[in-house]
């Protein structure tokens, strides 16, 4: 079956630090990959996506590259701000299922300290 | 507003009662999804609608859970004889279609607490 694995535990870092959140996946088909973000008190929002190997998704200074050879889609940002504090979810959908349902990782809480 | 609307935002009920959760998708979105977010299980898919039909109900955890969609728009998720393990945030999402390039837009969720 399809699954997504995110690194364990919250991430705490200082403003302007470099952020990496690891994400790896298992899929029977050729999935599309996503990062969703949930800011405090708000709903899930799509942050970025990539639909084929070597594609790079980017938005709001965040980037992630679809790596088929390592089945990974790590999220990076070069200089975080306090406003980036949120929970980040990696997700995939398998087009062969025909319904675009999302399988999510457990999420990572990111706390940026001023 | 133009986003996905869910109601109620919070629901507290006693074990054994039935509950109905409502989702109003973005106008024109044919695909509608229900997910559940709980501490132990993370975010789990429950059911997918295309129009009024539900071709994928594989995520519903038991026969106490059911959902319907009418007029290709509003959907209700019903949980009968609620149990404490049903406590979670129930999220609804909609998209213009069901292809990989059609992003899902999420509502703010209904936080369900079973006493």
């Amino acid at each position: 079956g399809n699954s997504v694995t995110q690194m364990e535990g919250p991430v705490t870092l200082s403003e302007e630090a470099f952020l990496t959140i690891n994400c790896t996946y298992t899929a029977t088909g050729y999935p599309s990959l996503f990062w969703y973000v949930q800011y405090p008190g708000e709903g899930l929002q799509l942050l970025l996506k990539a639909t084929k190997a070597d594609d790079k998704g980017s938005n709001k200074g965040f980037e992630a590259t679809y790596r088929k050879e390592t089945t990974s889609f790590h999220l990076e940002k070069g200089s975080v701000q306090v406003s980036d504090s949120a929970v980040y979810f990696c997700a995939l959908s398998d087009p062969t299922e025909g319904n675009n349902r999302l399988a999510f990782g457990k999420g990572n809480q990111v706390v940026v300290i001023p | 507003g133009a986003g996905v609307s869910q109601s109620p935002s919070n629901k507290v009920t006693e074990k054994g009662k039935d509950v109905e959760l409502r989702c109003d998708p973005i106008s024109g979105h044919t695909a509608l999804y229900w997910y559940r977010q709980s501490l132990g299980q993370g975010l789990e898919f429950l059911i997918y609608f295309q129009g009024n039909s539900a071709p994928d109900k594989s995520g519903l955890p038991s026969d106490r859970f059911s959902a319907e969609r009418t007029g290709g728009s509003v959907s209700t998720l019903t949980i009968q004889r609620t149990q404490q393990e049903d406590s979670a945030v129930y999220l609804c999402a909609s998209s213009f279609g069901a292809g990989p390039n059609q992003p899902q837009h999420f509502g703010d969720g209904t936080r369900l607490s079973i006493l």
Side-chain angles (χ1 to χ4, degrees), chain A residues 3-6 88-92 103-108, chain B residues 41-43:
Chain A
S3 66
V4 175
T5 302
Q6 290 181 235
Y88 293 81
F89 294 91
C90 186
L92 70 78
F104 288 91
K106 297 285 189 187
N108 286 103
Chain B
Q41 302 298 321
L43 268 157

Side-chain angles (χ1 to χ4, degrees), chain B residues 10-15 19 82-84 86-88 90 110-115:
Chain B
N10 283 284
K11 176 74 176 177
V12 181
T13 193
E14 293 179 348
K15 175 181 168 182
V19 295
T82 52
Q83 304 294 312
Q84 286 186 331
D86 300 335
S87 296
Y90 289 82
T110 293
R111 182 174 296 278
L112 177 63
S113 300
I114 309 300
L115 302 178

Side-chain angles (χ1 to χ4, degrees), chain A residues 3-78:
Chain A
S3 66
V4 175
T5 302
Q6 290 181 235
M7 51 196 275
E8 294 286 331
V11 178
T12 303
L13 60 170
S14 299
E15 203 165 23
E16 298 183 2
F18 185 86
L19 170 69
T20 299
I21 306 176
N22 289 342
C23 170
T24 57
Y25 67 88
T26 302
T28 52
Y30 198 154
S32 296
L33 302 173
F34 307 85
W35 278 99
Y36 278 81
V37 59
Q38 191 170 31
Y39 297 104
E42 297 185 18
L44 274 171
Q45 303 173 25
L46 178 64
L47 180 60
L48 54 84
K49 67 173 185 174
T51 57
K52 61 182 188 293
D54 301 325
D55 266 2
K56 178 185 286 188
S58 60
N59 187 24
K60 299 183 180 181
F62 289 88
E63 292 183 340
T65 301
Y66 189 144
R67 300 286 188 202
K68 191 167 186 289
E69 64 275 15
T70 53
T71 61
S72 65
F73 193 54
H74 305 322
L75 183 69
E76 296 182 336
K77 184 171 185 181

Side-chain angles (χ1 to χ4, degrees), chain B residues 10-87:
Chain B
N10 283 284
K11 176 74 176 177
V12 181
T13 193
E14 293 179 348
K15 175 181 168 182
K17 300 284 190 186
D18 297 352
V19 295
E20 272 193 4
L21 312 180
R22 177 188 168 105
C23 172
D24 210 332
I26 292 172
S27 178
H29 280 194
T30 59
L32 186 146
Y33 306 80
W34 283 97
Y35 296 89
R36 178 167 73 172
Q37 186 175 21
S38 58
L39 276 176
Q41 302 298 321
L43 268 157
E44 306 170 280
F45 165 81
L46 297 177
I47 187 170
Y48 155 68
F49 284 92
Q50 181 59 43
N52 291 337
S53 64
D56 189 350
K57 306 179 184 180
S58 61
L60 294 178
S62 75
D63 59 8
R64 295 187 296 104
F65 287 72
S66 63
E68 65 174 13
R69 188 178 185 196
T70 55
S73 181
V74 171
S75 175
T76 53
L77 176 69
T78 301
I79 310 173
Q80 295 179 308
R81 305 180 304 281
T82 52
Q83 304 294 312
Q84 286 186 331
E85 63 263 27
D86 300 335
S87 296

